[in-house]
Amino acid sequence: GHFCACSPHHAQSQHLISRSVNVLPSFGFLFDIDGVLVRGKTPIPSAKTAFQKLVNSQGQFLVPVVFVTNAGNCLRQKKADQLSHLLGISQNQVMMSHSPLRMFKRYHEKCVLVSGQGPLLDIAQDLGFCQPITIETLREKHPLLDVVDHERRPNVLVSIYFSVVLFGEPVRWETNLQLIIDVLLTSGYPGNPYHHENYPHIPVLACNMDLMWVAEAQSPRFGHGTFMVCLENIYKKITGKDLKYEALMGKPSKVTYQYAEYLIRAQAAERRWKQPIQTLYAVGDNLMTDVYGANLYNRYLEENSRKAAAHCRSVLVCTGVYNPHTEVPLDTRESITEAVFHGHRDFRFDPGLVEPDHIVPDVDAAVDLVFQLENFAPN
């Protein structure tokens, strides 16, 4: 506002405001990407206005921000580039479903079988894996295993696999399902006979448990969670035992939010913001991943408040999967409980965990709400 700064009354009121308003952030944002900032390749209009509020005139963020996506079929940099129409984002602010694999160093040195699509070897090597081998390579080494294709001649090469990493849904499911089962039932020596006594099987790490996802089509499409349902059921049918995961990554898993919180703290430290980060605000469009995950992490934080943040708040937007007109009203818990649970086998359904702390129309409203809750007015 242009009003006379020399009047003593004005100077005094400014002083009073600056005492009660927070100029340094004690909170951070975790933004989902699809359904919040973009739909397919199209930016959501409110994202532009939201981001103007989050950066200063030099284009630096005023609060720590991490973009948390369950996508896993590309490198962080590619996802950062996809957001460049909004603002300049460094790849250190982008978290893919597979990002926490950086912390699983004990698997990095050994030979690991990777399943998915996209630049898998680049992704695996970027995460620290020294010897990733794709299903396609395994298939070439052991052509007798994938018998759909009769054209290949066998060559005898023995390699041992120490673990399996599921990055995302593959293209040829029957090949991937067959060969992953082979590796699990032979303790990492595919081509050998099955022996069931080796249980638990070699470690399986999986990224992105989404059963379905929304693209340009009218109804949701199969996600990696659907592929995992197939693998789990085939394994169970053959062995009578449950397929075990060494780790599940991507929302709503705890390890994803722990890693996101670590990235938020690293940003605050880099900017030399002394204020400790107390609250994470997770903004997303999906009750089963974004809201459930944030609420699950909040429960964990409240039970284990040592050095970590104190709270993780869920903010639901209506620009993506969640549609306020078709969803079950949030207060009728019974009807939710009877609804089909689309979460992963290893996550219990808990009606309390799918209730968002806040529902707003879009990401711009989410930023306004959080600034208001935090009484945040940056310089």
Side-chain angles (χ1 to χ4, degrees):
H2 296 283
F3 38 89
C4 177
C6 49
S7 86
H9 173 72
H10 173 66
Q12 190 189 2
S13 65
Q14 270 228 312
H15 173 66
L16 291 173
I17 291 170
S18 66
R19 259 198 323 206
S20 58
V21 163
N22 298 311
V23 287
L24 283 180
S26 59
F27 64 98
F29 279 105
L30 311 180
F31 287 112
D32 177 35
I33 299 177
D34 298 293
V36 176
L37 308 176
V38 294
R39 268 199 88 127
K41 298 208 165 31
T42 321
I44 290 170
S46 58
K48 196 90 182 155
T49 32
F51 279 96
Q52 286 161 353
K53 295 170 184 171
L54 289 172
V55 294
N56 64 17
S57 50
Q58 288 88 56
Q60 290 177 306
F61 278 94
L62 298 161
V63 295
V65 170
V66 172
F67 301 89
V68 187
T69 174
N70 268 359
N73 54 3
C74 65
L75 290 156
R76 292 179 298 169
Q77 188 58 57
K78 184 171 176 217
K79 211 70 187 164
D81 295 342
Q82 285 173 0
L83 295 175
S84 58
H85 60 266
L86 291 171
L87 69 177
I89 288 160
S90 100
Q91 65 168 9
N92 298 332
Q93 289 177 282
V94 176
M95 207 181 136
M96 313 292 289
S97 61
H98 47 64
S99 295
L101 283 169
R102 280 175 207 287
M103 303 192 291
F104 287 79
K105 292 193 165 40
R106 61 185 180 281
Y107 297 105
H108 289 179
E109 298 303 314
K110 296 192 166 138
C111 184
V112 47
L113 181 67
V114 296
S115 164
Q117 57 182 294
L120 274 187
L121 291 178
D122 293 343
I123 294 168
Q125 280 157 352
D126 180 62
L127 290 165
F129 290 96
C130 304
Q131 304 180 58
I133 293 187
T134 62
I135 298 276
E136 287 63 44
T137 306
L138 171 58
R139 179 174 171 274
E140 286 159 17
K141 285 187 177 186
H142 297 277
L144 298 181
L145 296 182
D146 182 25
V147 294
V148 183
D149 189 337
H150 294 254
E151 295 301 306
R152 298 184 181 257
R153 308 259 338 170
N155 67 12
V156 223
L157 268 172
V158 178
S159 53
I160 170 166
Y161 298 88
F162 288 92
S163 59
V164 179
V165 179
L166 309 175
F167 278 103
E169 62 274 20
V171 177
R172 294 189 55 167
W173 286 26
E174 85 283 359
T175 301
N176 283 255
L177 290 166
Q178 176 72 77
L179 298 188
I180 292 167
I181 290 287
D182 282 325
V183 167
L184 294 179
L185 293 185
T186 59
S187 295
Y189 290 95
N192 283 8
Y194 287 178
H195 38 91
H196 292 309
E197 54 281 4
N198 282 30
Y199 186 83
H201 50 72
I202 64 169
V204 178
L205 298 96
C207 314
N208 177 3
M209 303 159 269
D210 292 354
L211 188 71
M212 297 188 283
W213 63 292
V214 178
E216 276 76 5
Q218 288 300 306
S219 36
R221 305 290 84 202
F222 286 169
H224 190 214
T226 307
F227 177 78
M228 290 165 68
V229 167
C230 298
L231 183 64
E232 289 156 19
N233 281 286
I234 294 168
Y235 186 86
K236 176 93 172 180
K237 191 76 175 168
I238 293 174
T239 65
K241 299 190 170 86
D242 283 335
L243 178 73
K244 295 236 185 300
Y245 294 99
E246 189 70 18
L248 289 167
M249 272 156 271
K251 299 174 288 193
S253 73
K254 187 179 81 183
V255 66
T256 292
Y257 290 85
Q258 285 173 314
Y259 193 74
E261 185 183 338
Y262 158 76
L263 293 178
I264 289 277
R265 290 183 186 290
Q267 266 179 58
E270 198 182 317
R271 298 290 297 276
R272 297 198 167 85
W273 287 327
K274 294 284 182 274
Q275 204 96 331
I277 300 296
Q278 291 295 327
T279 311
L280 304 172
Y281 290 94
V283 182
D285 67 320
N286 189 324
L287 286 172
M288 262 337 306
T289 53
D290 302 305
V291 173
Y292 184 105
N295 291 348
L296 187 67
Y297 193 53
N298 186 60
R299 189 175 283 182
Y300 162 78
L301 289 176
E302 290 181 351
E303 288 164 6
N304 305 276
S305 52
R306 284 186 312 281
K307 287 203 246 349
H311 303 288
C312 182
R313 300 286 179 229
S314 51
V315 184
L316 182 68
V317 296
C318 303
T319 46
V321 174
Y322 176 78
N323 178 337
H325 306 299
T326 60
E327 291 284 333
V328 181
L330 289 169
D331 50 3
T332 54
R333 284 173 173 236
E334 294 70 40
S335 48
I336 294 193
T337 319
E338 285 161 16
V340 181
F341 177 53
H342 280 179
H344 184 263
R345 181 196 74 183
D346 297 351
F347 287 78
R348 300 185 298 116
F349 179 70
D350 179 334
L353 291 178
V354 291
E355 287 190 32
D357 292 312
H358 307 279
I359 303 182
V360 292
D362 55 37
V363 64
D364 187 35
V367 170
D368 287 345
L369 171 77
V370 171
F371 279 15
Q372 188 189 333
L373 291 171
E374 289 286 333
N375 201 12
F376 183 64
N379 284 335

